[in-house]
Amino acid sequence: MPSLLLLNGPNLNLLGTREPGVYGSDTLADVVALVESTAAERGFTVTSLQSNHEGVLIDAVHEARGAASGIVINPGGLTHTSVALRDALTGVALPFAEVHISDVHARESFRHHSYLSDVADVVVIGEGVPGYARAVRELTEAIGRA
């Protein structure tokens, strides 16, 4: 069965309690459950990882090569800073979806630039936690066309 890797970056372990006015009340466990159920409807399994450490996320991307069909990633603050994460994602040549719960373009100016958006197969911004489901649907469609 094809699989997806779900990666959530720094501070996303605080979902449900961190700035609920920005991120809502859903927890990381809710995100994982939504991604797993959406992926299962499309015939995919999911392996998930959250880390506050850039290198751990990069290692997971490297390990996905040959093991996953695609990656769904919310890189958190690394979106705006990590060339290394971008290089890992392009280096493994797996299709990936970039997800952001909040509308990063309506927030502070430093959040407006993403090092990933221009190389992502799917970008979902500002749809809250339900945006993860759309990312899974669109990514699995893109994988099916590959």
Side-chain angles (χ1 to χ4, degrees):
M1 184 176 283
S3 67
L4 298 176
L5 174 62
L6 170 63
L7 293 178
N8 282 283
N11 301 309
L12 290 161
N13 56 305
L14 300 177
L15 283 176
T17 60
R18 176 184 175 215
E19 300 179 74
V22 174
Y23 299 104
S25 59
D26 289 321
T27 66
L28 183 59
D30 296 328
V31 168
V32 172
L34 175 63
V35 168
E36 288 175 344
S37 66
T38 306
E41 291 170 2
R42 305 180 84 68
F44 284 74
T45 62
V46 176
T47 301
S48 64
L49 171 71
Q50 185 281 325
S51 181
N52 295 316
H53 304 282
E54 181 179 32
V56 171
L57 297 170
I58 291 169
D59 287 344
V61 169
H62 291 177
E63 291 166 10
R65 186 178 192 175
S69 302
I71 299 171
V72 176
I73 183 169
N74 182 337
L78 295 173
T79 303
H80 323 291
T81 63
S82 185
V83 173
L85 186 57
R86 174 195 173 100
D87 288 349
L89 287 161
T90 59
V92 299
L94 288 171
F96 76 93
E98 175 187 5
V99 180
H100 297 283
I101 295 169
S102 69
D103 182 353
V104 293
H105 301 295
R107 297 182 64 194
E108 305 93 338
S109 62
F110 68 85
R111 295 185 195 274
H112 297 182
H113 175 72
S114 168
Y115 279 100
L116 306 183
S117 292
D118 68 318
V119 292
D121 297 271
V122 175
V123 178
V124 178
I125 296 173
E127 296 184 16
V129 167
Y132 282 87
R134 183 162 79 88
V136 168
R137 289 190 301 270
E138 290 186 17
L139 183 62
T140 55
E141 287 174 19
I143 290 167
R145 291 190 300 268

